[in-house]
Amino acid sequence: MVNYKDLGLVNTREMFKRAVAGGYAIPAFNFNTMEQMQAIVMAAVETKSPVIMQVSKGARNYANASILRYMAEGAVAYAKELGCAHPEIVLHLDHGDSFELCKDCIDMGFSSVMIDGSHLPYEENVALAKKVVDYAHQFDVTVEAELGVLAGVEDEVSAAESHYTKPEEVIDFATRTGCDSLAISIGTSHGAHKFTPEQCTLVNGVLVPPPLAFDILAEIEKKLPGFPIVLHGSSSVPMDEVNTINQFGGHLEAAIGIPEEQLRKAAKSAVCKINIDSDSRLAMTAAIRKHLAEHPGDFDPRQYLKPARENMKKMYIHKIVNVLGSDGKLAQ
Ligand code: G3H
Ligand code: 13P
Ligand code: ZN
């Protein structure tokens, strides 16, 4: 049993309070590799931003749970080496799907966990989230739970709307579970194909997706004033990265994300955690494809992972400064 405080990590409580009051959002970036972790830390240090480094079940399977935990501990040391005396780094479990997985992460030093019971019947979601909260709070670990189901690209817009978070449920859910933050569904979805071209409108040659359901967000805020809200599926799928991938041998068709101005607007509300994973994957893949196409003789991974790391760092800094507004928001 390791407590996250001994690893120099922090939970989300204070940073969310400041973010909600200050009208900005904390970046939650997924990591699976050392290069992603380094790029996240470099970006957070350069911008003086708090940051959530999140690990999915898939990341644990890919990289090994212990290795990722030690990497997060290393991230704190690395941030200090880069000149940040008091880094605010959260190690968060993304989409935990069972009490056992959440407990395992808490016991190995995570400072925050998500229990995702959003696909379960309401009462089962409440019971599971409460069980995780009761365990986590003994160790001052914060818990994110989810109400409403994120749409997949195959959904019709009407079907997606039927999965939106129901504002009339949020008070009961937050009160009975005791969760510290709530992930909601207002039109975002996971991956690089969030909308079909048919769901979008063509404006000046650009496909513009339907706007997020800000009316639902406003209703939720009215029911739970100041309560920390989380947006998953918030990659914007930058066209320049998609074009680079396609130019250098990739084949990504109809990749469409959430426009950044929509996220900027959300960050100014009670949305205080914005999850971004796919944009990192795109930035990494674009840089690697370009490098290998232009340097066909290279075979040392450092030759192509270095520009990949640089490109991810650039993207993370852009999100922090130009989209989420968490730059300069360290407590000290
Ligand atoms: O929300 C899902 C995250 O992007 C993590 O994806 O389960 O493929 O690691 P993953
Ligand atoms: P994206 O696929 O839009 O990056 O969403 C990531 C996410 O929600 C991680 O939980
Ligand atoms: Zn997610």
Side-chain angles (χ1 to χ4, degrees):
M1 175 91 202
V2 185
N3 189 277
Y4 69 88
K5 290 172 189 170
D6 297 328
L7 308 181
L9 298 162
V10 297
N11 69 20
T12 58
R13 193 167 295 118
E14 290 306 315
M15 67 173 69
F16 281 177
K17 220 183 268 174
R18 301 196 315 262
V20 173
Y24 60 91
I26 309 292
F29 298 132
N30 289 67
F31 79 107
N32 293 258
T33 73
M34 182 188 72
E35 288 75 17
Q36 284 176 310
M37 181 276 277
Q38 291 171 314
I40 292 168
V41 174
M42 287 190 277
V45 168
E46 271 187 39
T47 58
K48 299 182 170 49
S49 174
V51 73
I52 298 169
M53 297 182 43
Q54 51 187 19
V55 166
S56 69
K57 189 175 175 177
R60 281 168 53 109
N61 290 340
Y62 171 75
N64 178 276
S66 298
I67 287 177
L68 291 173
R69 198 283 270 166
Y70 281 102
M71 276 166 68
E73 189 177 357
V76 176
Y78 184 41
K80 288 182 178 167
E81 259 178 54
L82 291 175
C84 181
H86 302 286
E88 290 178 61
I89 298 176
V90 174
L91 176 61
H92 174 78
L93 169 66
D94 190 27
H95 293 286
D97 60 359
S98 67
F99 170 78
E100 290 70 25
L101 176 57
C102 292
K103 180 180 181 303
D104 191 51
C105 287
I106 293 164
D107 291 352
M108 64 159 46
F110 280 54
S111 56
S112 175
V113 294
M114 175 191 193
I115 178 66
D116 183 357
S118 57
H119 53 286
L120 296 171
Y122 180 79
E123 286 299 330
E124 287 177 38
N125 189 4
V126 170
L128 180 59
K130 180 171 170 18
K131 188 173 175 189
V132 172
V133 168
D134 286 347
Y135 185 75
H137 282 183
Q138 295 177 70
F139 309 100
D140 206 18
V141 168
T142 41
V143 179
E144 173 185 328
E146 178 160 340
L147 252 189
V149 180
L150 264 63
V153 74
E154 302 305 330
D155 287 321
E156 296 300 323
V157 172
S158 57
E161 280 171 0
S162 72
H163 299 312
Y164 284 173
T165 305
K166 297 187 178 84
E168 62 273 22
E169 289 180 346
V170 299
I171 296 179
D172 182 71
F173 187 82
T175 312
R176 286 171 61 202
T177 62
C179 65
D180 300 281
S181 59
L182 183 66
I184 61 166
S185 169
I186 55 165
T188 62
S189 59
H190 292 108
H193 300 84
K194 300 187 189 299
F195 304 95
T196 60
E198 295 71 42
Q199 290 172 326
C200 302
T201 317
L202 199 60
V203 181
N204 299 328
V206 180
L207 286 173
V208 179
L212 300 181
F214 282 101
D215 51 339
I216 293 183
L217 175 59
E219 274 187 66
I220 293 170
E221 283 194 73
K222 221 186 282 171
K223 304 256 184 211
L224 292 175
F227 195 82
I229 301 296
V230 177
L231 275 194
H232 281 249
S234 296
S235 277
S236 53
V237 188
M239 266 309 114
D240 54 343
E241 303 295 7
V242 173
N243 291 340
T244 302
I245 288 171
N246 289 337
Q247 182 187 344
F248 293 105
H251 189 70
L252 273 184
E253 271 191 80
I256 302 171
I258 309 293
E260 288 186 338
E261 56 275 17
Q262 297 270 304
L263 299 168
R264 242 175 248 127
K265 185 173 166 185
K268 293 196 169 83
S269 72
V271 169
C272 63
K273 172 176 182 269
I274 291 191
N275 286 11
I276 295 170
D277 186 4
S278 297
D279 283 355
S280 169
R281 298 175 179 191
L282 291 167
M284 186 175 209
T285 301
I288 291 174
R289 278 198 179 277
K290 182 169 188 293
H291 183 92
L292 290 178
E294 290 174 349
H295 306 85
D298 281 0
F299 65 95
D300 180 340
R302 291 172 296 190
Q303 291 166 315
Y304 52 85
L305 289 176
K306 195 171 173 193
R309 189 170 61 194
E310 275 306 306
N311 206 34
M312 289 189 287
K313 177 184 164 191
K314 197 173 98 200
M315 184 277 293
Y316 293 136
I317 290 178
H318 165 68
K319 298 289 177 184
I320 289 170
V321 175
N322 301 316
V323 185
L324 278 63
S326 63
D327 50 312
K329 299 296 196 294
L330 284 174
Q332 47 177 323

